[in-house]
Amino acid sequence: MITPTELDLTDATAFVRHDAHTFWRDVRKHRPVYWHEGDPGFWVVARHADVLSCYADVRSLSSARGTVLDVLLSGGDSAGGKMLAVTDRPRHRELRNLMLRAFSPRVLGAVEERVRERTSRLIRTVARQGEFDFAAAVAEHIPMNTICDLLSIPEADRKKLLRWNKLALSSDDAESDRLDSLEARNEIIGYFMDLARHRRRDPGDDVISMIATAEAGGRPLTLEEAALNCYSLVLGGDESSRVSAICAVKTFAEHPAQWRALREGTAAVDTAVEEVLRWATPARHFARTATRDMLIGGRQVRAGDIVTLWNISANNDEEVFDQPRRFDPARSPNKHLSFGHGPHFCVGAFLGRAELCALLSALTESVAEIEVCGEPAPVYSNFLNGYASLPVAFR
Ligand code: HEM
């Protein structure tokens, strides 16, 4: 057993070297809320009930200094108060209302249709290929193109955005450092500043034009605010969906009986999507800063303390999920926290679900058996959970 004091949660390789689920099971049982030493240290919240109530308590727990542990430890997020995810009420509500216009049924209906077509075309192509890397051949193309369609990003720019995006919050390379991430983020923001400036002058019928010309709280967004909020869509829209798709394929390959159940219709695609999201838990944690003294799970938290909410643990809490380490595509209800909870609940949840639904539907139509043919490469991150490559063969 690894004790909480032995595992450094700031280390991007911690869960590549240690079994996460054994660790979190012990934490939930013995120290469900604990103080992680460091400079600065931070609180670790592991139980589903506590994580849920922390997400809901936006009065005591602020997002404005940042919501990712690494960012908070390195001094906070410079986008605080400007970008949706790192803004508190009342500005958060104004920005969220604006951003939700990007996700109107009219816009989403068209995007969903394109997701289905693209996914089914990709799967039909790779199904004939023999062995291939599912991440490079399929998973990288679906979410990034979906979000780029939504934002009308020119085809020629999509590859470089994907490259920057992979570096921005995590790394496929254990040696990569924080400076690479910072540079990648600056590149993306600079790119969107240019695009927002251009579309403000010459608006079209796309989401960047809408964000660049819209008002929130009675004034137009600044160019920087517009760029940051476009960035948050690309960032949120690409990575989590990409690793979920990779996890879906890997998990069904490892669970052939469940794959048969899905193909034969004993398990529905909708419940399978939710179970994949729980199993994948693409964002291991999100974080907050306490704005006042408070109790979490009976522990005294002080104003100014960093509080980390571990979705990966909450999604496997035996108090909420019967046999949590059983992959059950028919599981219902499935109260996973992969999209968070409360006022910051993921604005892209509909799209994330639609992408997985399109993937599982296309796979059940063309693929009888999935075989993993080599060692998948992990993502090195204490935030993003999943794999960067997955060698497979479809039959
Ligand atoms: C927020 C996860 C897909 C954009 C969140 C949060 C989580 C999450 C856990 C809450 C963060 C917090 O409370 O601090 C996921 C997962 C996805 C996914 C697991 C896919 C499987 C998407 C997509 C988009 C997106 C497709 C954009 C198209 C956002 C944005 C926020 C957010 C902008 C901030 C919302 C706010 O603060 O009000 N996401 N997301 N996400 N997500 Fe997603």
Side-chain angles (χ1 to χ4, degrees), residues 127-204:
R128 292 190 289 265
Q129 253 176 31
E131 199 178 315
F132 64 96
D133 176 13
F134 179 78
V138 182
E140 286 190 356
H141 301 278
I142 302 172
M144 199 57 182
N145 278 311
T146 308
I147 199 74
C148 288
D149 284 350
L150 190 75
L151 295 175
S152 290
I153 291 180
E155 288 284 343
D157 295 348
R158 296 183 179 192
K159 254 202 184 128
K160 74 176 173 206
L161 265 185
L162 179 68
R163 198 180 60 243
W164 290 332
N165 218 27
K166 280 172 150 187
L167 280 171
L169 261 191
S170 63
S171 179
D172 298 352
D173 167 6
E175 301 304 316
S176 166
D177 61 22
R178 289 183 184 169
L179 205 63
D180 293 335
S181 298
L182 202 66
E183 269 175 25
R185 270 189 246 190
N186 286 340
E187 296 277 17
I188 303 179
I189 293 163
Y191 174 81
F192 280 120
M193 292 271 277
D194 286 347
L195 222 52
R197 190 179 296 114
H198 183 75
R199 297 208 184 154
R200 180 171 280 181
R201 273 201 307 266
D202 184 15

